[in-house]
Amino acid sequence: MIVTVFRSRLNPHAQDEYGPMARRMSELARTIPGYVSHKGFIAEDGERVTIVEFETEEALRQWKIHPEHAKAKRRGIESFFSDYKFQICEVIKSRAWVAKSSPIAMTPHRMIDASAQQPARQPPLITSELIDYHCRRANRMRSEAQRQAICSALCILRSLFSLRRYARRHKKSRKIPD
């Protein structure tokens, strides 16, 4: 796999013209046989970083010589970028890990506050599936003391969870004395 790291800074006046051209290059890159992926990031200081992955050097060469991409590169040098640099790297080793599907992975831990455009913390939801998941994990622990402590805490959580569900279910039917 070949990885290209493209770092740049835009001239202040170039933002409006750069956006449509960047979107077009993104669409175009996806059409190149051997294209894997790309992602772009903007740092707080304004530096832009785009990471592009291709399966082979030949796929990268096809991207490099594509007429529309060559034209966009020239335009970038002439008017968009105040500076840029790129690095082309061959992946020597690659390793990836993805968490198995679990109640923790499925719990919505973060939500986006649209007004602030920053992630806002949301407490994890306690569900019976989450409690069962942790019970199974606790049963695999080697230490008996740890296993008992966690199982006791989870039993308390399960009781509270059941009481909360019971209270919600019977809240409407409860009569308040005068």
Side-chain angles (χ1 to χ4, degrees), residues 4-11 18 21 46-50 64 69-88:
T4 301
V5 180
F6 179 67
R7 300 171 71 162
S8 64
R9 292 182 190 279
L10 287 182
N11 287 320
Y18 177 76
M21 190 270 308
E47 181 181 29
R48 296 169 171 270
V49 177
T50 302
K64 179 182 173 186
H69 181 232
K71 183 179 173 184
K73 287 190 291 188
R74 278 192 304 278
R75 188 151 183 230
I77 291 167
E78 292 168 0
S79 58
F80 293 146
F81 304 125
S82 61
D83 67 87
Y84 79 91
K85 87 176 196 181
F86 66 90
Q87 298 165 307
I88 298 172

Side-chain angles (χ1 to χ4, degrees), residues 57-103:
E57 286 185 61
E58 177 56 28
L60 174 63
R61 193 178 77 69
Q62 291 302 313
W63 171 242
K64 179 182 173 186
I65 65 172
H66 191 284
E68 211 172 327
H69 181 232
K71 183 179 173 184
K73 287 190 291 188
R74 278 192 304 278
R75 188 151 183 230
I77 291 167
E78 292 168 0
S79 58
F80 293 146
F81 304 125
S82 61
D83 67 87
Y84 79 91
K85 87 176 196 181
F86 66 90
Q87 298 165 307
I88 298 172
C89 314
E90 186 172 358
V91 175
I92 297 169
K93 182 177 180 179
S94 178
R95 184 175 182 178
W97 179 82
V98 177
K100 293 180 181 177
S101 180
S102 71

Side-chain angles (χ1 to χ4, degrees), residues 145-163:
Q146 284 180 327
R147 187 172 32 250
Q148 286 179 350
I150 290 174
C151 285
S152 297
L154 291 170
C155 286
I156 293 168
L157 271 178
R158 182 174 279 127
S159 300
L160 292 172
F161 182 73
S162 298
L163 285 173

